[in-house]
Amino acid sequence: MEEKKKGSGLATFISTVYLLTALCLLLGVVGRCCPSVEQRFRAMLTGWEDNPLQEAFHTLADGLEAGLPVGETVEASIEVLFPHAD
């Protein structure tokens, strides 16, 4: 029965560093040449700025931090999350 030789740990490390460097350079080039792709990628990573859930959470957190009653704060955050269509 033949035993397979284990690869050198140093070679594996160098390959991993090389792969990560190539990926970073590729992302840098794409970001420089195609700014719209970079903006979409950043939006996917950080979330949407105008997310109603995020705004409702901030409303809730700000109200509780300011010492407002919990009921009013929850109502305000629900109003932000589900606005009434008048």
Side-chain angles (χ1 to χ4, degrees):
M1 197 167 170
E2 294 180 30
E3 290 186 26
K4 292 184 179 180
K5 271 187 154 177
K6 289 188 178 182
S8 170
L10 181 61
T12 303
F13 176 74
I14 290 173
S15 296
T16 303
V17 169
Y18 177 76
L19 181 63
L20 291 176
T21 303
L23 183 62
C24 288
L25 289 173
L26 177 65
L27 290 176
V29 169
V30 169
R32 181 69 87 164
C33 296
C34 303
S36 62
V37 173
E38 179 187 13
Q39 290 173 352
R40 286 184 186 172
F41 186 68
R42 285 183 188 266
M44 285 188 313
L45 288 177
T46 60
W48 300 105
E49 298 289 328
D50 299 329
N51 185 353
L53 183 61
Q54 187 176 15
E55 291 178 20
F57 178 76
H58 284 296
T59 302
L60 180 67
D62 291 342
L64 293 176
E65 186 177 323
L68 297 174
V70 175
E72 291 177 18
T73 306
V74 170
E75 285 179 17
S77 63
I78 289 174
E79 180 66 31
V80 169
L81 190 58
F82 303 108
H84 290 324
D86 293 329

